[in-house]
Amino acid sequence: MAPRARVRAPELIGKGGWLNTGNTDLSLADLRGRIVILDFWTFCCVNCLHVLDELRELEEKHRDTVVIIGVHSPKFVHEAEHQAVVDAVERYEVHHPVLDDPELATWKQYAVRAWPTLVVIDPEGYVVAQHAGEGHAHALEKLVEELEAEHAAKGTLRRGDGPYVAPEPVATDLRFPGKAVVLPGGGFLVSDSTRHQLVELAADGESVVRRIGSGERGFGAGSFSEPQGLALLPGGRTVVVADTVNHALRTYDLETGAVETIAGTGRQWMQGQPTSGPAREVSLSSPWDVAWFADRLWIAMAGVHQLWTYDPQSGTVEVAAGTTNEGLVDGPAREAWFAQPSGLATGGDRLWVADSETSALRYVERDGDGFAVRTAVGTGLFDFGHRDGDAAQALFQHPLGVTALPDGSVAVSDTYNHALRRYDPATGEVTTLATDLREPSAAVLAGDDIVVVESARHRLTRLRLPEEAVRVESVAHRTQRAATDVAPGRLRLDVVFQAPAGQKLDTRYGPSTRLLVSSTPPELLAEGSGQGTDLGRDLVLGDSVTEGVLHVSAMAASCDDDPENEYPACHMHQQDWGVPVRITEGGADRLPLVLAGLDG
């Protein structure tokens, strides 16, 4: 193995304490002799959820040498609540210790800049690698094998059971349900996400009629994996299921009970793969909700910040809106930016969208021969709160659901505010309909009532639609991530990428790297925005702006470096950063962002 830089790993500290350890606090000294992988994540982040799934196989295969530690590092205020972290660990079946770090103490010690970030610590307690974003499982596997061999030879590897202690299971009819749909007979079909099932409830919203699915993760005819969105197709016989972690759309036949796959391959879509074609041959990425609009089934493709459509007549899918860049940009549908769209509802001539990471309510409408995207409420990735009033200054906090109401207004499941909100397009006003919900993730109309999916209370809650709004105290927040101080003028941006051992950059078909840079506000960058193939770039900051956010998207393709292999295995590494910056005299003139490796 090539010599590595010897950087001692900082201690693991977090005010919220430890989960999944049987009430035992851990230190790096307790983990000496094991290969430790720190996973810096936050439960709002779909890319973090992708990495949780990428790590499952590695975690199982190397359970006697590798200890994965989730370091929960919140973006939203709600995510800093300890019980919310406890819920998320169960909801997403995290089977390793988790450090609850609500004040980002360990995040800062490790100079992390993005969710998700993985840091590898060797058995002697030194940091040997860092990876940001998705697609690094193969590189981690190779590195773990090398570290196992190296430290077994040195006598510094300690094998045995890890510190994970499973929590006691809790018996409830539903467990972190995601979405619901009203059935023709008046009952409800609910996606019971953590139990990987669909559950049919009677019209009372409580009595279980039947369960659909094995209850185990899987992609077979009788299995789902964290299903979310549900939509009843015209005709009233077939429900389409957004089978989120299977990256697929399934159908459930209400008459026969048959489950079939209509879109997706079961594998996650990655940059460079097809974005249209026969639906069973095109990969999807964490479809979170579905809705029928403009003679198509629209898909909230949370994993790539886009909206796609499925045409049941031709059996094809295609991108309808979004560029895969994460942010809030309106305009022609193909040029718009979304940030983890997670809820859809059709209301008249609009498709309403809960755009969760921008805490925004947005909509799609026809525009000439195509479609356009508009924003009703919300300003960007880092502004959120609970504020009613004029839509231009109103605030949500990570909404996951949206419901069209009979009077033309829209109910928003304001998930991290534990509230049901309302936006009235006629007046441009936002009000609060109900509070004291617990992570509401969707709502459906049932007669004069609205039935809310209270995800973290594991139930459906029936409310009478109020005629008057609830008065709440306004509160506004910005993410607690500290801004990076940078000097005025020229700023060197370096995306650090080192191909995993045994691999090289794939240049057979041209450049194997891509870098896209933009900013909010646009005036933050006088020079340097746009797309290129070099992973380093000189930026020039604008004179008229003192703070903002740099949006950086990087991609690199690496392949096995074996001249004897005609068809080497290739892998895609990708990450999007939103870096808050503050322009100050004496600030840094270089901004390093680690995609894979260590910054020299």
Side-chain angles (χ1 to χ4, degrees), residues 245-328:
V245 178
N246 276 328
H247 309 292
L249 298 186
R250 321 288 289 280
T251 55
Y252 170 58
D253 191 305
L254 296 175
E255 296 183 9
T256 67
V259 175
E260 296 183 2
T261 301
I262 59 170
T265 62
R267 297 180 299 277
Q268 183 186 343
W269 182 92
M270 300 296 283
Q271 288 284 356
Q273 294 181 342
T275 56
S276 63
R280 292 286 304 274
E281 299 174 15
V282 178
S283 294
L284 310 180
S285 182
S286 295
W288 211 274
D289 204 4
V290 282
W292 188 261
F293 174 69
D295 300 320
R296 297 286 189 276
L297 186 77
W298 288 64
I299 310 163
M301 204 71 76
V304 286
H305 318 299
Q306 290 180 312
L307 304 180
W308 289 35
T309 58
Y310 167 74
D311 181 356
Q313 296 298 317
S314 62
T316 58
V317 293
E318 65 177 349
V319 174
T323 65
T324 76
N325 294 321
E326 184 179 14
L328 194 155

Side-chain angles (χ1 to χ4, degrees), residues 468-491:
E468 295 184 2
V470 177
R471 294 193 180 277
V472 296
E473 183 178 350
S474 294
V475 60
H477 302 288
R478 285 182 64 83
T479 181
Q480 62 174 313
R481 283 179 60 191
T484 298
D485 288 334
V486 295
R490 192 168 297 275
L491 176 66

Side-chain angles (χ1 to χ4, degrees), residues 180-365:
V181 66
V182 179
L183 298 176
F188 303 90
L189 190 67
V190 183
S191 55
D192 197 17
S193 301
T194 297
R195 293 207 176 114
H196 316 296
Q197 290 181 316
L198 309 180
V199 177
E200 183 180 340
L201 300 178
D204 62 6
E206 298 179 6
S207 305
V208 175
V209 177
R210 63 177 57 85
R211 296 181 180 275
I212 301 98
S214 67
E216 301 291 335
R217 289 181 185 272
F219 195 43
S223 300
F224 300 95
S225 189
E226 296 183 30
Q228 287 285 341
L230 305 167
L232 190 65
L233 291 182
R237 171 175 171 167
T238 303
V239 175
V240 177
V241 183
D243 196 4
T244 304
V245 178
N246 276 328
H247 309 292
L249 298 186
R250 321 288 289 280
T251 55
Y252 170 58
D253 191 305
L254 296 175
E255 296 183 9
T256 67
V259 175
E260 296 183 2
T261 301
I262 59 170
T265 62
R267 297 180 299 277
Q268 183 186 343
W269 182 92
M270 300 296 283
Q271 288 284 356
Q273 294 181 342
T275 56
S276 63
R280 292 286 304 274
E281 299 174 15
V282 178
S283 294
L284 310 180
S285 182
S286 295
W288 211 274
D289 204 4
V290 282
W292 188 261
F293 174 69
D295 300 320
R296 297 286 189 276
L297 186 77
W298 288 64
I299 310 163
M301 204 71 76
V304 286
H305 318 299
Q306 290 180 312
L307 304 180
W308 289 35
T309 58
Y310 167 74
D311 181 356
Q313 296 298 317
S314 62
T316 58
V317 293
E318 65 177 349
V319 174
T323 65
T324 76
N325 294 321
E326 184 179 14
L328 194 155
V329 177
D330 289 342
R334 293 297 186 97
E335 300 173 15
W337 291 21
F338 293 93
Q340 213 168 299
S342 302
L344 300 176
T346 302
D349 56 359
R350 290 178 175 177
L351 177 70
W352 294 97
V353 183
D355 201 27
S356 62
E357 280 293 285
T358 54
S359 297
L361 172 64
R362 308 177 71 186
Y363 59 92
V364 177
E365 62 181 2

Side-chain angles (χ1 to χ4, degrees), residues 279-556:
R280 292 286 304 274
E281 299 174 15
V282 178
S283 294
L284 310 180
S285 182
S286 295
W288 211 274
D289 204 4
V290 282
W292 188 261
F293 174 69
D295 300 320
R296 297 286 189 276
L297 186 77
W298 288 64
I299 310 163
M301 204 71 76
V304 286
H305 318 299
Q306 290 180 312
L307 304 180
W308 289 35
T309 58
Y310 167 74
D311 181 356
Q313 296 298 317
S314 62
T316 58
V317 293
E318 65 177 349
V319 174
T323 65
T324 76
N325 294 321
E326 184 179 14
L328 194 155
V329 177
D330 289 342
R334 293 297 186 97
E335 300 173 15
W337 291 21
F338 293 93
Q340 213 168 299
S342 302
L344 300 176
T346 302
D349 56 359
R350 290 178 175 177
L351 177 70
W352 294 97
V353 183
D355 201 27
S356 62
E357 280 293 285
T358 54
S359 297
L361 172 64
R362 308 177 71 186
Y363 59 92
V364 177
E365 62 181 2
R366 290 194 180 277
D367 184 23
D369 295 332
F371 295 93
V373 176
R374 318 285 186 205
T375 297
V377 182
T379 56
L381 283 166
F382 301 103
D383 297 299
F384 55 91
H386 191 153
R387 181 193 286 155
D388 287 335
D390 183 75
Q393 54 86 53
L395 294 171
F396 300 130
Q397 186 180 180
H398 197 80
L400 291 178
V402 61
T403 310
L405 300 180
D407 64 357
S409 65
V410 184
V412 177
S413 296
D414 194 4
T415 309
Y416 288 2
N417 279 327
H418 311 300
L420 189 68
R421 312 282 294 282
R422 176 178 179 263
Y423 167 70
D424 186 351
T427 64
E429 291 288 310
V430 173
T431 53
T432 297
L433 297 178
T435 57
D436 194 32
L437 301 168
R438 186 68 186 171
E439 292 193 18
S441 55
V444 294
L445 294 174
D448 294 330
D449 298 335
I450 188 163
V451 177
V452 180
V453 180
E454 258 196 290
S455 187
R457 282 201 177 110
H458 321 293
R459 70 188 189 190
L460 302 189
T461 299
R462 185 182 296 267
L463 304 173
R464 180 70 64 177
L465 274 174
E467 296 181 4
E468 295 184 2
V470 177
R471 294 193 180 277
V472 296
E473 183 178 350
S474 294
V475 60
H477 302 288
R478 285 182 64 83
T479 181
Q480 62 174 313
R481 283 179 60 191
T484 298
D485 288 334
V486 295
R490 192 168 297 275
L491 176 66
R492 177 65 183 178
L493 171 65
D494 286 319
V495 174
V496 178
F497 178 76
Q498 298 161 6
Q503 296 184 25
K504 64 178 181 179
L505 290 174
D506 179 17
T507 57
R508 291 172 298 164
Y509 308 108
S512 60
T513 56
R514 187 190 73 171
L515 180 65
L516 177 66
V517 180
S518 63
S519 66
T520 304
E523 296 77 21
L524 178 64
L525 283 179
E527 296 179 21
S529 61
Q531 183 169 311
T533 57
D534 292 335
L535 291 181
R537 186 178 302 180
D538 288 324
L539 310 178
V540 177
L541 303 174
D543 296 331
S544 61
V545 180
T546 58
E547 62 179 359
V549 178
L550 288 175
H551 303 283
V552 180
S553 177
M555 181 183 74

Side-chain angles (χ1 to χ4, degrees), residues 16-26 82 86 97-98 163-167:
W18 289 88
L19 306 176
N20 285 355
T21 62
N23 297 318
T24 299
D25 291 344
L26 298 179
H82 182 70
V86 173
V98 172
Y164 170 68
V165 178

